[in-house]
Amino acid sequence: EAASNSNIEDMSIHNRTVSSRKILIATGASPAVPETLSRAAFDAGVPYYTYRSLLRPNSLESLFSTPADGDQTKTPQNIVLVGGGATACELGQTISRLGGDDLNVSIVAHALIPAEDVTLQHAATKVLETDGCNIHLGSRAVDVVTRSDGNSAIGPRLLLNDNTTIPVDCLFFCIGRTPESSLSSLQLNRAGVAWTPDRGVTVNSYLRSKTARHIYASGDCASAVPYRDRRAIHAGWTGFNAVRNALLPWFLRSPA
């Protein structure tokens, strides 16, 4: 938690108050999870993941392991990745290769790696299709529904914006990152720090908060960092600049 006290900032960490004249916020960003679609998946009994939960130790082993005798857990056969960025392409290819012929991997996106050249987009599509991925371009996932043939349940299916459906046993959300979850827990409004869920702390080109001059931000949670530049190496560089600008005289400061 944060609380403003003149030019000194107080932070409460595990019931301990830490005071400082300058504070740097570098909480990063977390994978974005669409609220409506994740709720629909939960209601339909479809588990969903992000790259962060997938890359934890033993996560791939548990995803593709064969259930023991008497274990009712079903190994997913239809895995759908929502999103078309580099993360979706990398995970889709990896899962398809590890899962073998019995696994059906689909990628639902408006476009693959849309920020790149069209030639690269076409090349990525061909590579993924060669590795066994089903690509649904120009599509958007809108709901997770359950269907039946009148006598027995067919199973959950992902509803797309063109009213077509594809089978789904497991969802992966690869739709970008957001600083909202990490910043909302800090209660920055108590210290007068302006921020937005999509861009992070509102800062100037020197990474100083526009509403609280003793607060700085860097990396994924700083509004001055363009979305495409939000990488680990850029986070380190902006962190260096934020600390330098916070501590050095004004004539030695420089924009990030």
Side-chain angles (χ1 to χ4, degrees):
E1 297 179 6
S4 181
N5 180 17
S6 185
N7 290 327
I8 300 178
E9 193 72 15
D10 294 337
M11 297 188 65
S12 177
I13 305 175
H14 297 299
N15 296 323
R16 177 187 175 191
T17 300
V18 178
S19 299
S20 177
R21 292 189 178 276
K22 306 286 185 180
I23 286 180
L24 172 63
I25 300 175
T27 52
S30 301
V33 176
E35 182 178 354
T36 302
L37 196 56
S38 62
R39 187 186 303 114
F42 178 82
D43 293 340
V46 175
Y48 58 87
Y49 301 88
T50 64
Y51 71 87
R52 183 167 293 180
S53 56
L54 176 67
L55 298 180
R56 290 171 181 164
N58 302 322
S59 60
L60 282 175
E61 180 180 351
S62 62
L63 185 64
F64 298 114
S65 61
T66 302
D69 294 339
D71 188 354
Q72 300 298 317
T73 303
K74 179 184 177 182
T75 301
Q77 294 180 330
N78 301 293
I79 295 180
V80 180
L81 295 95
V82 178
T87 300
C89 294
E90 292 172 2
L91 290 183
Q93 184 183 55
T94 300
I95 295 172
S96 184
R97 288 181 174 181
L98 291 176
D101 296 334
D102 296 332
L103 192 66
N104 181 31
V105 177
S106 301
I107 298 178
V108 176
H110 176 71
L112 286 183
I113 49 176
E116 304 299 335
D117 185 80
V118 175
T119 304
L120 293 178
Q121 296 180 27
H122 292 164
T125 302
K126 290 182 179 179
V127 169
L128 290 171
E129 289 177 338
T130 300
D131 285 327
C133 295
N134 302 309
I135 311 298
H136 300 268
L137 297 181
S139 301
R140 179 172 54 89
V142 296
D143 199 3
V144 180
V145 297
T146 54
R147 299 285 176 85
S148 64
D149 59 5
N151 297 319
S152 60
I154 296 177
R157 300 180 70 87
L158 184 67
L159 177 65
L160 306 183
N161 60 321
D162 59 359
N163 288 326
T164 60
T165 62
I166 56 177
V168 58
D169 297 321
C170 179
L171 270 174
F172 284 90
F173 293 125
C174 308
I175 58 175
R177 295 176 295 172
T178 172
E180 180 178 11
S181 60
S182 56
L183 292 178
S184 60
S185 63
L186 296 179
Q187 301 183 29
L188 296 177
N189 59 303
R190 298 181 58 186
V193 180
W195 65 282
T196 59
D198 55 337
R199 300 194 61 194
V201 179
T202 305
V203 297
N204 59 21
S205 60
Y206 293 87
L207 302 171
R208 170 185 264 180
S209 168
K210 291 184 177 181
T211 57
R213 294 177 59 81
H214 48 294
I215 301 292
Y216 291 77
S218 65
D220 289 357
C221 65
S223 65
V225 181
Y227 185 78
R228 192 174 180 181
D229 291 336
R230 296 190 173 188
R231 303 180 177 91
I233 188 170
H234 207 80
W237 175 245
T238 56
F240 165 78
N241 277 277
V243 172
R244 182 177 64 179
N245 292 337
L247 299 179
L248 294 182
W250 65 267
F251 55 86
L252 294 178
R253 299 171 186 170
S254 61

